[in-house]
Amino acid sequence: MICVAALICAACAAPAPAPTPAPTATAAPTVTPAPTATAMPTATPAPTATPVARQLTIWVAEPADAQPAIAAELQQAAQAVDAQLTIVPRDPDGLLLSLATDRLLGLPPPDLIWADQEALVGLLADNALAPVGIELPADLLPGLRTLASSADTLWGAPITAQDMLLLLYQLDRSPPATAADLVAAAQAARTSERAGFVQGWGAARWLAPWFYAAGGAFTTPDGAEPTLDTPAMTATLTLLRDLYQAAPRNGDSYARGQRLLAQGFAAYAIDGDWAWPTYRAISDTFQIGIAPLPTFNGNPAQPLIGGSLLMRHRDGQATQADVAALVDILYQPDVQLRLSAALGRLPARRELLADPSIQADPARAAAATQAATAPGLPPAPAARCAIFGIESYLYSATTSDPPLKDAPARMQREALACLRQFAQP
């Protein structure tokens, strides 16, 4: 009992103070660093688009042996201006037909065309060209500028000069200085076994050097009208008739004349640079003297000049800027001289005609003597009709005996009749 009472008394007694809890360690406050300025993230530049090279197609209408050199220079020019060229070789004689065929088949046309002045005339007649719209070099040969333009519009950039007639003579002869001397030398050289003189008798190209030297011209200065009925034409026809007296007696065709010259059976000839492959094919030992044409009426002969041009197809993708960029390279002196050497032609720029590489080549040196004054025919109907009028009567006027007084007027009438056909809608 005592134990129970004691427990009860103890429970009723004042409670003892609660034990003070041991102080817990207070963590030292951490210092929060002041926020640093966060740099704005730099924008990653978008990848620049790699420029896409201009993709252009060019048809090159040149003989097969000229294609490699031209293609090489065109490709180098294209690389220099970040363009890609697809070069398609074409037969010069089939250029217009190839374009017409592709058009019928629905194929795209070329963007650019490299061809000669005769092709330019046909392309213009087919309405296939767009103006090139560039500045030509100030020293471009004047005749080339003429043959590339009509109605104050430039249709092509002439890159090479060619197709000028030269005097060819056997090495046992010497080149006459005047047309009268040529007549005398050719007639004296004619024998029963040797022709004194050969050329293309019925073609206007062989009449032109003397006609221009005598003060004539195929057309008016603006290229609008034929101008054949002049005293210059009578004088020219008289000269050609005198030269014909030295022609071969048993056939006067152009092809026969080439064979006779290559085989040593003609003393003198007038022919152009396009004929060299023919002569070499006839005789692999062909050697000939080469000189500029003689003077006539006291003036230098003026053979027509031709050229190869870079042109722009009207339905192609090439722009005037594309043409300007390419020709800027093609007109550089080193390119011009490489093309001249590879093709046997002249540069288009007058300042390069005196280059030693040209003067060391007898054919190019002789052609260079005539190039600065050589006329070019504009790609206009009047010039084409003048050729038609001349060739309607040239062979008969040269080879027969009737008086020459009526021939110039007849040529002019034929040329005007041809021009009227062009004028018809």
Side-chain angles (χ1 to χ4, degrees):
M1 290 292 293
I2 296 173
C3 291
V4 170
L7 287 172
I8 295 170
C9 289
C12 295
T20 303
T24 59
T26 304
T30 59
V31 178
T32 302
T36 58
T38 302
M40 293 294 292
T42 57
T44 302
T48 57
T50 303
V52 178
R54 291 279 289 156
Q55 304 278 341
L56 299 172
T57 298
I58 179 169
W59 285 11
V60 177
E62 289 274 5
D65 59 353
Q67 292 279 354
I70 294 169
E73 295 299 341
L74 284 172
Q75 290 290 13
Q76 289 189 36
Q79 291 173 8
V81 299
D82 293 326
Q84 290 187 359
L85 279 186
T86 299
I87 299 175
V88 181
R90 290 295 184 191
D91 179 1
D93 295 332
L95 174 63
L96 299 181
L97 180 59
S98 295
L99 284 170
T101 301
D102 281 11
R103 187 166 59 249
L104 288 173
L105 295 174
L107 299 176
D111 303 304
L112 299 165
I113 299 172
W114 172 300
D116 66 11
Q117 73 281 357
E118 295 302 316
L120 186 153
V121 172
L123 291 166
L124 275 181
D126 287 349
N127 197 27
L129 294 181
V132 293
I134 63 170
E135 289 292 328
L136 295 174
D139 67 333
L140 191 83
L141 291 168
L144 295 181
R145 192 180 297 269
T146 300
L147 66 82
S149 308
S150 68
D152 297 323
T153 300
L154 182 66
W155 297 105
I159 308 300
T160 65
Q162 63 245 28
D163 297 344
M164 282 181 292
L165 293 171
L166 298 168
L167 178 67
L168 311 181
Y169 57 95
Q170 299 295 343
L171 297 179
D172 62 344
R173 302 283 163 174
S174 58
T178 69
D181 293 339
L182 176 60
V183 169
Q187 291 184 357
R190 177 176 172 173
T191 68
S192 59
E193 296 182 351
R194 195 182 210 188
F197 183 79
V198 293
Q199 69 167 24
W201 293 106
R205 177 174 291 276
W206 275 265
L207 171 140
W210 318 117
F211 186 50
Y212 278 84
F218 280 14
T219 70
T220 54
D222 61 2
E225 294 282 338
T227 52
L228 307 179
D229 188 9
T230 65
M233 182 61 77
T234 303
T236 300
L237 293 174
T238 301
L239 170 62
L240 291 177
R241 184 175 284 189
D242 290 342
L243 285 171
Y244 187 74
Q245 298 305 310
R249 294 186 175 91
N250 55 348
D252 58 12
S253 73
Y254 175 50
R256 175 171 170 73
Q258 288 183 317
R259 289 195 299 273
L260 292 174
L261 184 74
Q263 295 167 351
F265 294 116
Y268 295 95
I270 290 177
D271 213 342
D273 53 17
W274 64 83
W276 302 133
T278 300
Y279 288 125
R280 295 189 185 104
I282 295 170
S283 171
D284 56 8
T285 60
F286 177 68
Q287 291 185 335
I288 202 75
I290 305 172
L293 296 182
T295 62
F296 181 50
N297 275 14
N299 298 313
Q302 297 181 46
L304 296 175
I305 195 170
S308 286
L309 308 95
L310 186 65
M311 295 168 274
R312 189 163 70 99
H313 196 284
R314 63 170 298 181
D315 297 324
Q317 301 302 309
T319 65
Q320 293 181 348
D322 292 326
V323 177
L326 288 171
V327 300
D328 185 60
I329 305 297
L330 295 172
Y331 280 137
Q332 291 181 4
D334 58 333
V335 178
Q336 287 275 293
L337 290 173
R338 283 200 302 268
L339 283 170
S340 174
L343 303 176
R345 304 174 186 173
L346 291 181
R349 301 183 58 179
R350 186 186 327 192
E351 69 175 18
L352 301 174
L353 297 180
D355 189 86
S357 65
I358 292 173
Q359 294 303 312
D361 178 349
R364 286 187 292 155
T369 302
Q370 307 172 142
T373 58
L377 289 183
R384 301 299 120 181
C385 286
I387 292 173
F388 175 77
I390 290 169
E391 294 182 351
S392 296
Y393 291 98
L394 179 57
Y395 183 78
S396 60
T398 301
T399 62
S400 20
D401 295 329
L404 295 174
K405 61 182 181 65
D406 295 332
R410 291 176 177 175
M411 290 176 174
Q412 179 72 3
R413 283 197 300 270
E414 289 293 336
L416 291 174
C418 166
L419 193 59
R420 285 194 294 272
Q421 293 294 321
F422 273 99
Q424 290 181 356

